[in-house]
Amino acid sequence: MRSLIALAALLASGALAESWQWQLDSELAYSPEAVESVSKAEMRLRGDWAMALSDDVALTLMPELRWDAADRLRRRDQRPVSDGALNGAVWQNRHAELRVREAYLDVNLSSLEVRLGKQQVVWGQADGLRLLDVINPQQLREFNLPTFEDSRIATWMINAELPLGDDGRLQWLVIPDITVNEQADAGTEFAISSPELRPTLPQGQPVRAQPLRRPDRSEVEIGLRYSHFVGGWDLSANYFHFYHDNPVLYRRQPQGEIVLQPRLERGELLGGSASTAMGNWVLRAEAVYQQRVYLLRDDLQDGGVTVSGELKALLGLDYYGWRDSHLSYQLFYSRLSDTDRAVVRRRNSLRHTLSIKRFFYNDTVELQVFALLNVDHRDGELRTKLSYQFSDQWRWWLGVDHFFGRRSGPFGQFHDARRAVVGWQYAF
C-alpha cells in the first residue's frame, strides 16, 4: 500500500510522467417514460499515462473518475458484489467513483511478449454481440448501450503471446481475478426483469437472499488462443476455462419461504473465428460451443436451474464500397442441446443486426445507426448517434436509444428506458 501511495505522489508531481493524456466527457440522458425523466447526468475524467522503464519494459496506468448527478444508474454506495477480491473502485459513493481502469506492465522477453496487470483482452470478430469476447466481464448499468471498450471491466491477469513461424501467434491467459458482470441496481432504468434472466417469484411469499457464493481464491481462469494468417484468411482457435459472468440463481422453498442462493459456476468455451477481405467486402465468421450454460426453470426442480450445452454462431458481412461509408450486417444463431418445457429460454435463438456509419464534411461529422432484431421475442433495439468533431480536442454528439417489442424479451424489457442523449468530449 505504501508503495502505491508513493507512486501516486510521484505521478501527481510529474516526476515520473513521460506522457499524460486526459479525456473529459459528459453525457445527459432524458427518458420521457421513466419515473425520473433525467436518467443520466454523468461526467467522466480519464487519464492515460505511459512510461518506458527500459528498452524492454513499459508501464501504463489509466485512472478514471466518474460522477453522476442523477443517481439513477446506481443506488448503492457500497462495493458491488460483482467485484472480485483483486478488483473494485479505490473510492465510491452513490454519485461518484474513482478507479484504476487499467494498469499493466509490458515486458519483452526475447520473442515472448508478456503483459502483467489489470487489462482488457479482446477475442473474436463480432460487432455488438459477444461470442468469443468473454474474457472480461461487463458493467451493465446501461445494459448494452455503451461501447464494449467502455463497458468491459478490466481484470488482473498474466497475458503472454509467443510468435510461431511467420504468421502464427499463441496467446496464454491466467486470470486470478474472478470479477463478474455488474448488473443495474433494482429500481433503476436497466434493472433486469425478463423471465429468461431473472426468476419470477410467487406473490405474497417471503423471500430470503443469501450472499453470493464465490470460488476459493486459489481458483483461476485459463485462456488459450492460436491465431494464424493463411491464404488471405485471419483464423483463430480459442479455448477458455472460466467462471460465468452472471451468477447462477438457485431457488429452494423450505418452510414456506423462497431462499435465493446466487453462485458462480464453471464453464468451458471452445470456438474460433475467421475473416477475409474480398474487394470492397469483408466476410467474418465466429462460432463457439459452451459445455455448461445454466438456464432458469419455471419450477424448483434441481434448484430451479437446468444445465445445457450451447452452440452459437455468427456470420457477418461488411461493405466499404460507398465513399465515406461503412455498412455491416450480422446473422446470429444459437441452439441449446438439453432443455425441456420447464426451461424458460427457448431452444433456438435468432438475431439480426445492421450497422451503418456515414461520414460528412471531411470526416468531421459522423452518423451511426445500429439496429438489432431478436426474432425469438420480436423485440430489439434501434440506436442512432450524430457526432461532430469540432476540433482536435472537442467532440459533440446527440443520439436516441430506442427499445421495442415484448416486455418479456431481453430487449423489450427496457421499453420504458428509451432515451435521448446529448454529450461532449474534451481531450487534452
Side-chain angles (χ1 to χ4, degrees):
M1 179 60 70
R2 292 180 180 177
S3 61
L4 289 175
I5 295 174
L7 177 59
L10 286 170
L11 292 177
S13 67
L16 288 179
E18 180 171 287
S19 64
W20 264 115
Q21 293 181 338
W22 292 95
Q23 177 181 296
L24 179 66
D25 58 60
S26 179
E27 188 169 76
L28 179 72
Y30 173 74
S31 303
E33 299 178 59
V35 176
E36 297 183 27
S37 56
V38 178
S39 59
K40 180 182 180 181
E42 181 180 272
M43 184 169 288
R44 184 177 62 182
L45 177 64
R46 283 184 168 181
D48 190 337
W49 174 78
M51 179 179 181
L53 303 180
S54 70
D55 291 339
D56 298 314
V57 181
L59 177 63
T60 299
L61 179 65
M62 302 180 189
E64 177 183 83
L65 176 64
R66 184 191 298 252
W67 178 71
D68 186 6
D71 190 26
R72 292 292 298 160
L73 301 180
R74 170 181 284 168
R75 288 187 165 178
R76 301 170 298 174
D77 56 6
Q78 70 266 34
R79 177 179 176 177
V81 296
S82 57
D83 288 340
L86 302 176
N87 216 325
V90 177
W91 168 85
Q92 68 179 32
N93 60 24
R94 293 177 61 181
H95 293 281
E97 65 178 13
L98 173 64
R99 66 171 60 236
V100 178
R101 187 163 56 98
E102 296 188 49
Y104 52 81
L105 199 66
D106 286 313
V107 182
N108 290 326
L109 302 173
S110 184
S111 59
L112 181 66
E113 302 170 6
V114 181
R115 175 168 290 181
L116 305 170
K118 189 178 184 182
Q119 58 192 283
Q120 295 186 25
V121 172
V122 182
W123 281 2
Q125 304 280 347
D127 179 19
L129 298 169
R130 283 170 45 113
L131 283 80
L132 284 171
D133 188 12
V134 294
I135 302 300
N136 294 95
Q138 284 184 287
Q139 186 260 86
L140 299 174
R141 285 178 289 180
E142 296 177 82
F143 189 47
N144 70 341
L145 295 179
T147 65
F148 281 168
E149 182 181 2
D150 286 337
S151 67
R152 289 191 198 96
I153 301 173
T155 52
W156 296 90
M157 69 179 79
I158 301 171
N159 176 4
E161 290 196 40
L162 179 67
L164 297 177
D166 294 332
D167 299 306
R169 294 184 71 85
L170 179 65
Q171 182 182 38
W172 177 54
L173 306 173
V174 179
I175 309 173
D177 181 359
I178 312 300
T179 295
V180 297
N181 289 341
E182 181 184 350
Q183 302 288 349
D185 289 344
T188 59
E189 273 70 25
F190 294 100
I192 298 296
S193 62
S194 170
E196 285 191 358
L197 306 172
R198 178 182 177 182
T200 301
L201 301 176
Q203 295 290 332
Q205 284 192 302
V207 177
R208 177 163 54 92
Q210 296 184 336
L212 174 63
R213 186 175 298 177
R214 289 182 166 275
D216 294 336
R217 293 193 177 187
S218 60
E219 294 290 317
V220 297
E221 298 176 322
I222 300 292
L224 291 171
R225 177 179 182 266
Y226 176 71
S227 58
H228 195 81
F229 183 79
V230 55
W233 286 84
D234 282 308
L235 306 173
S236 79
N238 307 67
Y239 171 78
F240 193 34
H241 185 61
F242 64 101
Y243 280 95
H244 285 276
D245 287 331
N246 289 319
V248 180
L249 193 59
Y250 291 95
R251 292 162 287 155
R252 53 190 178 90
Q253 192 173 5
Q255 301 177 352
E257 68 173 354
I258 302 293
V259 177
L260 305 179
Q261 175 60 73
R263 183 186 306 167
L264 296 186
E265 297 285 9
R266 274 286 192 186
E268 283 190 297
L269 177 149
L270 184 65
S273 65
S275 66
T276 187
M278 302 173 293
N280 293 324
W281 299 87
V282 174
L283 178 65
R284 297 177 286 114
E286 194 168 322
V288 302
Y289 178 75
Q290 290 193 36
Q291 186 177 14
R292 297 174 67 85
V293 296
Y294 295 81
L295 310 169
L296 292 176
R297 301 175 59 88
D298 59 14
D299 58 30
L300 297 183
Q301 179 181 324
D302 298 324
V305 173
T306 287
V307 182
S308 171
E310 182 180 17
L311 176 66
K312 296 189 284 188
L314 178 139
L315 184 65
L317 193 61
D318 304 328
Y319 181 65
Y320 296 90
W322 295 336
R323 183 179 178 182
D324 300 324
S325 300
H326 172 215
L327 179 66
S328 176
Y329 167 77
Q330 294 180 138
L331 173 66
F332 168 82
Y333 173 76
S334 74
R335 179 175 175 82
L336 301 171
S337 59
D338 300 301
T339 65
D340 57 46
R341 293 183 177 180
V343 174
V344 179
R345 183 178 154 187
R346 302 180 184 184
R347 178 183 291 269
N348 298 299
S349 179
L350 183 66
R351 295 176 183 176
H352 304 270
T353 72
L354 179 65
S355 175
I356 302 172
K357 295 182 180 180
R358 173 74 173 172
F359 295 91
F360 306 90
Y361 303 109
N362 296 320
D363 295 342
T364 59
V365 177
E366 180 184 3
L367 174 65
Q368 300 179 41
V369 179
F370 177 81
L372 184 150
L373 175 64
N374 180 33
V375 177
D376 316 355
H377 292 272
R378 296 185 179 180
D379 65 337
E381 64 179 316
L382 176 64
R383 288 181 257 156
T384 59
K385 183 177 181 180
L386 183 67
S387 60
Y388 176 42
Q389 190 74 41
F390 181 74
S391 67
D392 290 340
Q393 293 178 300
W394 286 98
R395 186 168 72 94
W396 304 79
W397 67 86
L398 55 88
V400 175
D401 302 317
H402 178 78
F403 295 92
F404 61 89
R406 298 173 182 171
R407 293 178 182 268
S408 60
F411 301 94
Q413 66 178 321
F414 301 120
H415 184 278
D416 293 337
R418 296 180 293 187
R419 65 184 192 175
V421 299
V422 59
W424 57 264
Q425 180 185 95
Y426 176 65
F428 58 99

